[in-house]
Amino acid sequence: DTAVSQTPKYLVTQMGNDKSIKCEQNLGHDTMYWYKQDSKKFLKIMFSYNNKELIINETVPNRFSPKSPDKAHLNLHINSLELGDSAVYFCASSQFPGALISTDTQYFGPGTRLTVL
Amino acid sequence: RKEVEQDPGPFNVPEGATVAFNCTYSNSASQSFFWYRQDCRKEPKLLMSVYSSGNEDGRFTAQLNRASQYISLLIRDSKLSDSATYLCVVNKGISSGSARQLTFGSGTQLTVLP
């Protein structure tokens, strides 16, 4: 049973193209995330949605637009792809209880390896 | 100063060795601390949470020192299968939505040699 799934797993495309990555979680979590892991393996958060509402939006070019049609899905659309966008993109999810303190455990998808030529 | 700093390694140790990783964090308001493990070309997975009193899970022991803002992970009797990158992870604090935001260290690479 896949908890957090992403498609596609690999994406090779030309500079200037527009592409989308899809993410789905079947854990019943309210919060979903997109992370970018660059060639130096540094994992950096891009966006976070809680129950379809954007709650974290780090400094990311506006060519990147997340969309959450429901709390189980968070897609990432990228316009006008650039060479520097080449990276592995991870989707993740976690519980978002009403209490302030939670376990904050995040479950990651398998990643989408994006190569821009 | 980076929010979460780790020694990148690599650490190359023989099977059966004991190895320790250290991590420092800059945000004194951080409340939650974790070690994640990432295998080559795979996603990060939670290894263990880190509690103030220290906690142990089999061969793995995690310690937290809030005063020094320092976290450690000790692996005893290391196995070949322990080879991976270990990520120190800290949350941002308890105010607003950013409370759920985790900051990842750049990871420490471990290779256990036969």
Side-chain angles (χ1 to χ4, degrees):
Chain A
D1 289 341
T2 305
V4 183
S5 59
Q6 293 179 229
T7 53
K9 194 167 183 181
Y10 298 95
L11 187 52
V12 181
T13 188
Q14 298 285 336
M15 232 171 25
N17 284 350
D18 303 338
K19 291 292 177 186
S20 291
I21 309 171
K22 296 187 176 182
C23 178
E24 176 180 1
Q25 54 95 3
N26 61 8
L27 296 166
H29 289 163
D30 284 343
T31 309
M32 296 184 72
Y33 311 81
W34 277 111
Y35 286 88
K36 178 180 179 181
Q37 188 168 44
D38 59 26
S39 56
K40 293 183 180 176
K41 308 300 182 190
F42 189 57
L43 195 67
K44 189 168 170 56
I45 191 163
M46 300 172 70
F47 302 102
S48 174
Y49 272 72
N50 177 49
N51 207 4
K52 302 195 295 174
E53 182 183 341
L54 182 66
I55 56 170
I56 295 171
N57 184 356
E58 291 296 295
T59 306
V60 175
N62 58 14
R63 298 181 295 103
F64 290 79
S65 51
K67 282 190 172 51
S68 182
D70 55 62
K71 71 176 192 178
H73 295 84
L74 180 62
N75 303 323
L76 183 65
H77 188 76
I78 315 170
N79 288 327
S80 303
L81 278 155
E82 299 178 358
L83 294 176
D85 297 332
S86 296
V88 181
Y89 292 84
F90 286 102
C91 176
S93 74
S94 66
Q95 268 186 303
F96 193 87
L100 279 175
I101 305 298
S102 75
T103 59
D104 281 340
T105 304
Q106 293 188 9
Y107 297 85
F108 284 79
T112 296
R113 190 170 294 271
L114 172 65
T115 303
V116 182
L117 303 173
Chain B
R1 183 183 173 185
K2 287 182 186 174
E3 290 183 70
V4 179
E5 289 205 63
Q6 291 182 251
D7 181 345
F11 283 63
N12 298 318
V13 303
E15 259 187 298
T18 295
V19 60
F21 304 138
N22 302 321
C23 168
T24 57
Y25 62 96
S26 60
N27 186 350
S28 59
S30 295
Q31 295 292 319
S32 303
F33 310 90
F34 310 89
W35 284 100
Y36 275 69
R37 169 192 169 132
Q38 186 172 22
D39 292 297
C40 187
R41 301 179 78 85
K42 297 286 188 181
E43 72 273 21
K45 290 185 180 177
L46 178 68
L47 178 67
M48 57 197 302
S49 301
V50 187
Y51 304 114
S52 296
S53 53
N55 48 300
E56 191 173 305
D57 182 2
R59 298 181 292 109
F60 299 82
T61 301
Q63 298 273 354
L64 167 64
N65 183 323
R66 283 187 188 270
S68 303
Q69 293 179 206
Y70 171 95
I71 304 161
S72 66
L73 176 69
L74 184 76
I75 306 175
R76 289 181 300 279
D77 188 23
S78 51
K79 312 287 184 197
L80 295 177
S81 57
D82 294 334
S83 297
T85 296
Y86 291 83
L87 303 167
C88 176
V89 184
V90 174
N91 86 329
K92 281 250 181 193
I94 63 172
S95 61
S96 76
S98 68
R100 295 293 169 256
Q101 185 174 341
L102 298 183
T103 301
F104 286 74
S106 54
T108 299
Q109 187 181 335
L110 171 67
T111 301
V112 180
L113 304 167

